[in-house]
Amino acid sequence: GDAEVASQDRGIAMKRAYVVSLALTGCIVPAVHGQAVDSLYWSDGDSGRINGVDFRLADVDAPETGGVGARGGAKCEPERALGYIAKQSMIEATRGKKVVITNVEEKDDFGRVVMSLSIDGRDAGELGVASGYLKPYVFDGKRATMPKPDWCK
């Protein structure tokens, strides 16, 4: 009834306020659902910069390329070596292809916009998992629904 409509209207107003606040901070402009990607840099196999905005690929994990022991870095040298291979595989998978933002979520704990991408119409995360260089790592909001993959085993 009326309460349900009022609740939906509040939800829409809150989403609009969130989008406006992101737009004012310069975070939403390059991260729009359905937008083609003009500029893409891969930091590792699951994150980088898109159109000038730091991003993380949703629902997958790649081995880290950061130094062993650094915040967010690799847990062991073999993971770090694998991380560079995963990064290169994503560079190759996206080079010269049509990359589109297909879903935009909240920022993660590192301030990156979590999003899904398509590469020539195929889900980037699924392609990475199929290649063997990424593993599923599904979140419900900011809470992981499974343990983070261990790349050192």
Side-chain angles (χ1 to χ4, degrees):
D2 291 341
E4 185 177 327
V5 170
S7 176
Q8 287 175 344
D9 287 346
R10 277 193 303 278
I12 291 169
M14 288 178 66
K15 286 179 184 174
R16 284 186 183 143
Y18 181 68
V19 168
V20 168
S21 71
L22 288 175
L24 292 174
T25 62
C27 295
I28 193 92
V29 175
V32 177
H33 172 85
Q35 180 182 3
V37 173
D38 299 317
S39 169
L40 173 59
Y41 167 78
W42 291 98
S43 305
D44 60 21
D46 64 8
S47 63
R49 290 180 69 76
I50 284 184
N51 298 348
V53 170
D54 292 337
F55 80 96
R56 183 179 193 321
L57 211 48
D59 297 330
V60 293
D61 185 59
E64 302 299 336
T65 56
V68 175
R71 180 178 185 247
K75 303 286 186 262
C76 61
E77 281 303 327
E79 175 184 7
R80 192 169 187 210
L82 262 177
Y84 286 106
I85 295 168
K87 173 182 175 175
Q88 191 61 38
S89 77
M90 294 309 285
I91 291 169
E92 295 300 323
T94 53
R95 181 178 285 138
K97 304 283 180 29
K98 181 179 180 185
V99 180
V100 175
I101 298 168
T102 55
N103 190 40
V104 178
E105 300 175 19
E106 296 180 34
K107 288 185 176 183
D108 69 4
D109 293 337
F110 292 90
R112 302 171 297 190
V113 177
V114 178
M115 63 178 68
S116 299
L117 304 173
S118 70
I119 303 169
D120 283 347
R122 298 182 63 204
D123 184 79
E126 290 175 9
L127 288 171
V129 170
S131 76
Y133 296 119
L134 303 183
K135 292 182 180 177
Y137 189 37
V138 179
F139 277 72
D140 180 14
K142 287 198 171 194
R143 172 176 243 122
T145 63
M146 59 183 50
K148 183 170 172 45
D150 183 350
W151 296 98
C152 296
K153 286 185 177 176

